Amino acid sequence: MASAEKSLDTLETVLDMDATSLASAIKQEKISSYEAISTYIDHSKHVNPSINATVEDRYETALSEAREMDNRREQTDKGPLHGVPISIKEAFDVAGMKTTGGIKSRKHLIARNDAEIVSKLKKAGAIILGKTNIPMLCFCQETDNKLYGRTNNPWDLTRTAGGSSGGEGALLGTGGAAAGIGSDIGGSIRFPSHFNGVVGFKPGKFQVSPVGHFPLNAHPLQDRMAGMGPMGKSVRDIELMYQVIATNPVEKQSIYDCKVDIVPAVTGFPLSANSTNILHEIANVLRRSLSVNRIIPPYFEESAQLWQEIMSIDGGKMMKKLAFNHDRPNVVRGYVQEMMTKNTEIHQYMSWALIGAKLFKPTTGKLREITAMIKQGDKTLSDYLKNRMLILPVYHTSAPEHGNVYREIFSIRKSFLQFMPYVAYANVWGLPSLTVPVDTDDDRMPIGVQILSRNGNEDMIFQLGKILEEHFRGYVRCSQLDS
């Protein structure tokens, strides 16, 4: 990671710096906020035609805010993100900007107020460059919608950037912002972090306010699965930003008395050879100073089914109401029309997900069973994770070609049971999860792993993340779109 002490004369140096280094350099007047913002804007304009990550910008306003900050050089109470350019997932309200959810009928709706998370970041000194792309209503693990189109992975434009925070992942992968904010109810921070080679953090249940996020959830069991969190270039940036946005402070802990459980090479679930090998290497490195076991954690196999049923609690009723701007929509007919003509208002990802939500809607009796299992699982995992961390893959491969993740997770053959346990685990049990880039595959596509524990163990998670970052790949900016 580039440091503030290095010369800031080159474009590459500024773009490679993490937010912590850039904030330090701005405070020390090694670079002005205006210069930093200008550099990021120029770069974003250059790469965005290829990746389609930024869907609405506030470049002129950002430059004006940067100039104002630079004119307040004598200010002593500068925030931890003073003058740092960040990006925001389209799902969060930013005053004066659109919050569309990727829906054409909402394209003229302007937010009057900032989401709570946005307000906290602004108070910390961050300057918002723009908003980034999402799938329709954040309802898919790939990023495409009828309003803004598809986001591409900067490492290979034929591959997915993931979702639903795919615009954030792609933009940060190119260094198009110093850091960003995403949300995650089904891997939506972790998929893009893994696929684009960035660091991302899904906080545990109820740790960050969802106020100002669109859409909100239909049921309390969905609320506990969701996390609003930071994405960026280093674990220390994630830690810094989390401290800014979190409801509760992070308590300092010692990592060296804790245990680390890593899933074994053979779990019964798909995993690429590259991912299998890197987990083995991680285990060998960590055994030098920590107690490491290769085991499957409690409730792992049940998590994908639970996730699907919780996501389907209302049969997709609320999402259907938001997606269709007319009464009594025929979702199945709309899906068929879209598949045949590609000319409807509702993206196929959305309509097929709504069909699935109706199919998997739990009965009243089943919902009671789910609630009881969640109650028992919470107690079991709280005890299990008291002094323990887990390391899991994010997905069974690196970023595949566009459409493959959608076909694997939303297949009528219920293949989500094979492909979702790795990410569903943190959502179902409301656990904090940090994704760190650790390797690349044979095609030089990034591979990340996630570190999980229980709420209150965030400091241990960040410490372990820094160890992985030091020994393995960490964030590497994708520069192949620079020329």
Side-chain angles (χ1 to χ4, degrees):
M1 184 64 61
S3 66
E5 286 70 26
K6 290 186 178 180
S7 168
L8 303 182
D9 294 336
T10 65
L11 167 74
E12 290 78 14
T13 300
V14 175
L15 297 179
D16 288 336
M17 293 175 73
D18 67 356
T20 304
S21 292
L22 187 56
S24 176
I26 292 170
K27 290 176 184 178
Q28 295 176 43
E29 298 184 21
K30 295 184 177 181
I31 184 174
S32 68
S33 177
Y34 187 88
E35 290 170 326
I37 297 292
S38 298
T39 299
Y40 275 93
I41 289 174
D42 290 345
H43 181 62
S44 295
K45 287 180 177 179
H46 177 72
V47 300
N48 204 56
S50 296
I51 60 175
N52 189 34
T54 300
V55 293
E56 184 182 6
D57 70 70
R58 60 191 299 276
Y59 294 154
E60 292 304 316
T61 303
L63 287 168
S64 177
E65 291 171 352
R67 188 181 290 110
E68 183 178 345
M69 284 193 178
D70 290 336
N71 289 336
R72 299 200 307 265
R73 288 191 176 92
E74 303 306 316
Q75 178 182 346
T76 57
D77 58 341
K78 295 177 181 177
L81 295 170
H82 181 82
V84 172
I86 68 170
S87 49
I88 302 289
K89 183 178 182 177
E90 209 268 357
F92 291 96
D93 287 343
V94 175
M97 301 187 77
K98 303 171 186 176
T99 305
T100 69
I103 302 173
K104 285 187 175 181
S105 61
R106 292 178 57 92
K107 64 182 179 181
H108 299 301
L109 295 180
I110 306 297
R112 295 183 178 180
N113 302 303
D114 290 328
E116 285 194 19
I117 193 171
V118 172
S119 178
K120 289 182 177 182
L121 290 165
K122 283 184 175 180
K123 288 179 182 178
I127 295 177
I128 297 171
L129 295 177
K131 299 182 77 174
T132 54
N133 205 17
I134 58 173
M136 194 172 184
L137 293 173
C138 303
F139 215 50
C140 186
Q141 286 84 356
E142 296 204 48
T143 297
D144 197 352
N145 62 69
K146 288 288 187 169
L147 180 58
Y148 296 122
R150 186 182 75 189
T151 295
N152 301 317
N153 191 307
W155 296 95
D156 182 341
L157 301 179
T158 69
R159 303 197 188 206
T160 182
S164 62
S165 310
E168 278 299 303
L171 185 67
L172 292 167
T174 69
I181 289 292
S183 56
D184 186 320
I185 197 171
S188 294
I189 287 173
R190 291 162 292 154
F191 274 111
S193 297
H194 166 60
F195 288 158
N196 297 279
V198 305
V199 187
F201 184 59
K202 183 206 83 70
K205 57 187 177 184
F206 315 129
Q207 298 303 300
V208 176
S209 171
V211 174
H213 183 278
F214 177 80
L216 292 173
N217 298 310
H219 192 276
L221 285 178
Q222 294 174 354
D223 286 336
R224 60 173 275 133
M225 292 209 303
M228 324 293 164
M231 300 170 67
K233 302 176 181 177
S234 67
V235 176
R236 67 176 182 175
D237 278 2
I238 300 303
E239 182 178 18
L240 171 64
M241 293 180 71
Y242 180 68
Q243 290 172 335
V244 168
I245 65 176
T247 302
N248 301 308
V250 176
E251 297 183 4
K252 292 297 181 182
Q253 298 169 292
S254 172
I255 191 176
Y256 292 104
D257 294 328
C258 86
K259 299 176 182 178
V260 178
D261 287 353
I262 303 175
V263 290
V266 178
T267 63
F269 296 91
L271 192 62
S272 70
N274 295 110
S275 294
T276 300
N277 291 338
I278 192 63
L279 288 175
H280 180 70
E281 292 180 31
I282 289 170
N284 287 340
V285 167
L286 295 183
R287 283 194 178 106
R288 299 170 190 169
S289 55
L290 297 170
S291 172
V292 176
N293 294 301
R294 305 295 302 272
I295 62 173
I296 298 175
Y299 291 100
F300 182 75
E301 295 187 14
E302 297 92 336
S303 295
Q305 182 72 36
L306 284 167
W307 173 81
Q308 179 65 75
E309 290 170 338
I310 292 171
M311 289 298 295
S312 304
I313 278 177
D314 71 339
K317 181 179 178 181
M318 186 188 77
M319 289 294 185
K320 182 169 68 173
K321 184 177 180 180
L322 293 172
F324 291 86
N325 61 346
H326 54 83
D327 294 333
R328 298 183 179 179
N330 189 317
V331 177
V332 175
R333 184 172 64 190
Y335 173 74
V336 173
Q337 289 176 342
E338 172 62 18
M339 293 300 291
M340 293 176 64
T341 68
K342 303 295 182 184
N343 195 33
T344 71
E345 294 286 301
I346 309 299
H347 196 281
Q348 70 179 79
Y349 292 173
M350 185 74 215
S351 52
W352 185 246
L354 289 172
I355 293 170
K358 190 171 184 179
L359 290 172
F360 285 102
K361 180 181 178 181
T363 64
T364 302
K366 183 62 177 177
L367 186 55
R368 284 197 295 267
E369 292 179 17
I370 292 170
T371 302
M373 183 178 287
I374 292 294
K375 183 178 180 180
Q376 179 59 47
D378 279 349
K379 183 179 185 305
T380 299
L381 289 177
S382 180
D383 294 339
Y384 173 68
L385 295 172
K386 181 178 181 180
N387 201 32
R388 189 188 311 264
M389 288 180 283
L390 308 177
I391 294 181
L392 302 177
V394 176
Y395 204 52
H396 68 103
T397 66
S398 61
E401 293 183 352
H402 292 288
N404 283 359
V405 174
Y406 158 72
R407 284 187 286 270
E408 289 181 343
I409 293 177
F410 291 89
S411 171
I412 199 168
R413 297 187 302 272
K414 298 185 181 181
S415 53
F416 71 89
L417 293 171
Q418 288 290 297
F419 299 122
M420 278 298 292
Y422 299 128
V423 294
Y425 196 77
N427 293 114
V428 168
W429 304 110
L431 305 176
S433 177
L434 175 71
T435 298
V436 181
V438 290
D439 201 3
T440 58
D441 67 7
D442 295 338
D443 295 325
R444 302 178 68 183
M445 298 299 294
I447 295 174
V449 297
Q450 49 179 333
I451 306 167
L452 305 82
S453 192
R454 70 177 191 176
N455 282 342
N457 286 352
E458 290 85 1
D459 185 55
M460 290 200 306
I461 291 174
F462 295 142
Q463 288 183 59
L464 186 57
K466 290 172 185 175
I467 292 173
L468 296 189
E469 193 176 48
E470 178 183 354
H471 284 87
F472 297 95
R473 182 176 186 266
Y475 173 85
V476 176
R477 184 174 71 86
C478 178
S479 60
Q480 57 199 41
L481 300 178
D482 289 358
S483 57

